[in-house]
Amino acid sequence: MGRSSEPSAPDPAGARRVTSPYDIDEIFPDDAAGTVRLPRRQAGNSPQDLTVTLLADYTLSTGAELPSAAIVALLAEAGVSYAGARTAISRLARRGVLQVQRQGRRSAYRLTPDAAAFLSVGGSSIVSPAGGAEPWDEHWTLIAFSLPPGERAQRQELRNKLRWMGYAPLYDGLWISPHDLPDKARAQLALMGPGTMTVFRARHVELAAGLHRTPLEAWDTAAIAREYEAFIQHWRLVPARISTGRLTGAEAVRARTEVMDTYRRLPVLDPRLPLQLLPPGWLREPARALFVAVYDGLAATAQDHVRSIAARSADGPVAGIQAHSVADLAAGLRPASHSV
């Protein structure tokens, strides 16, 4: 995504790739805890990423199945080759993200219950109101931990949990957040075992300049600001194109998938840090408002297109294809239960 000119239409295949100032494998590990292994987030949108987003965007609340031919066709519209699409679907099935239903020579896929539950919780966290403007008590939560050198897997699991909770490493074994530790997070950390960590809630004490790191330095705020700027620059003209009806169904699906895949990284990088700690004009709220305008504004057109592609692949309408809104996600979608 260049900053000198605007694309004529949202183009996920050619857009600038949002990368993290942190280690992407830390935030989105390949070997996630539990039975579901979601695809590793990359500096770009891999076929597996796109497949998961497509299934989540149109089937998360209903548990609907999409014909494999429809998934391949939708991925093709995003620039994924036939072979790449088939490989992505197969790998997601092996990871426990998708499950297959076969009818004769045809097959259809849907999210597994574990994957749907994981995506529902993650989606709610990602799209919740931006926050950060409410009064802050100027206290930091500090989590200090020490694990034996041989506990590499447990150390990585703990770092992954802390990152998802909005913590960042001030030092290797000292992670911090400006927010209190909620009960749900306490329960998750308790599972790490006895003698693993100590949690404090304290104020920062200023020392002479240059002799210490401030808590905010655990986050690369300059890099986060550039991510917000890049997001807004790329998508700022799209709401006007939506209002004039200038986007086709295929363009709507591609753009809606891309805006979700791009935006969902931002709340992980900027976990609702108090605005009083940040430079004036912080773009968290404008970025979220733009995301809502694009994602919700394209919902009806994209939903119709996905239904059309699915019906063509199945020789008839496919039930349960439903585009949800940002408000639906924020409220917490309850994935439909289904049996294998």
Side-chain angles (χ1 to χ4, degrees):
M1 176 178 62
R3 299 195 181 192
S4 59
S5 62
E6 294 297 328
S8 58
D11 181 8
R16 176 186 176 277
R17 301 311 186 185
V18 175
T19 56
S20 165
Y22 309 114
D23 182 349
I24 286 291
D25 291 347
E26 253 184 38
I27 302 175
F28 301 103
D30 188 33
D31 295 309
T35 58
V36 179
R37 297 174 56 215
L38 291 175
R40 176 178 296 169
R41 303 301 179 205
Q42 302 172 355
N45 303 112
S46 75
Q48 291 185 65
D49 290 334
L50 296 174
T51 303
V52 171
T53 302
L54 277 169
L55 268 293
D57 279 346
Y58 304 100
T59 72
L60 185 57
S61 63
T62 65
E65 301 168 356
L66 280 185
S68 59
I71 299 173
V72 170
L74 291 165
L75 290 174
E77 293 177 344
V80 179
S81 68
Y82 177 87
R86 288 293 181 184
T87 299
I89 294 170
S90 176
R91 287 179 176 173
L92 288 170
R94 290 200 301 271
R95 287 174 180 266
V97 178
L98 300 182
Q99 62 186 44
V100 63
Q101 297 289 323
R102 301 191 187 279
Q103 295 182 343
R105 298 182 61 185
R106 292 182 175 178
S107 59
Y109 288 85
R110 61 187 174 191
L111 296 167
T112 62
D114 284 343
F118 185 96
L119 291 166
S120 179
V121 172
S124 176
S125 175
I126 288 168
V127 305
S128 293
E134 60 275 2
W136 179 50
D137 65 4
E138 299 187 10
H139 281 70
W140 297 86
T141 299
L142 298 87
I143 298 181
F145 64 88
S146 178
L147 292 166
E151 298 292 341
R152 183 175 180 275
Q154 188 178 16
R155 181 183 295 105
Q156 188 62 50
E157 180 184 354
L158 176 57
R159 290 168 67 92
N160 294 338
K161 285 182 182 294
L162 291 174
R163 183 71 76 187
W164 273 108
M165 292 175 187
Y167 286 77
L170 186 61
Y171 300 102
D172 183 53
L174 182 65
W175 288 56
I176 64 171
S177 166
H179 308 295
D180 204 351
L181 191 66
D183 290 342
K184 184 176 181 180
R186 292 171 189 260
Q188 289 181 337
L189 293 177
L191 298 176
M192 298 302 298
T196 301
M197 71 192 73
T198 303
V199 181
F200 303 87
R201 184 82 175 151
R203 298 173 70 99
H204 172 234
V205 177
E206 294 285 351
L207 298 176
L211 296 181
H212 70 302
R213 294 187 72 199
T214 66
L216 191 61
E217 289 181 76
W219 291 267
D220 188 342
T221 55
I224 297 169
R226 289 194 294 271
E227 300 294 354
Y228 279 132
E229 291 167 1
F231 179 86
I232 291 172
Q233 179 69 15
H234 182 63
W235 295 101
R236 63 189 180 87
L237 298 183
V238 176
R241 300 190 70 236
I242 295 172
S243 65
T244 58
R246 292 169 53 200
L247 291 174
T248 67
E251 289 173 330
V253 174
R254 285 164 44 216
R256 197 166 184 261
T257 301
E258 173 69 12
V259 78
M260 171 58 84
D261 252 16
T262 305
Y263 179 80
R264 67 183 176 185
R265 292 161 169 78
L266 298 179
V268 178
L269 303 182
D270 174 17
R272 297 173 178 81
L273 298 171
L275 292 181
Q276 68 191 74
L277 294 173
L278 299 167
W282 193 248
L283 296 176
R284 178 192 299 146
E285 189 57 50
R288 184 181 188 277
L290 180 56
F291 164 69
V292 172
V294 175
Y295 189 78
D296 285 1
L298 293 171
T301 303
Q303 175 183 275
D304 289 346
H305 184 69
V306 174
R307 287 177 174 175
S308 174
I309 294 293
R312 191 185 314 159
S313 302
D315 294 333
V318 175
I321 296 175
Q322 181 69 50
H324 45 252
S325 67
V326 170
D328 294 333
L329 277 174
L333 289 174
R334 299 188 63 178
S337 60
H338 52 261
S339 58
V340 179

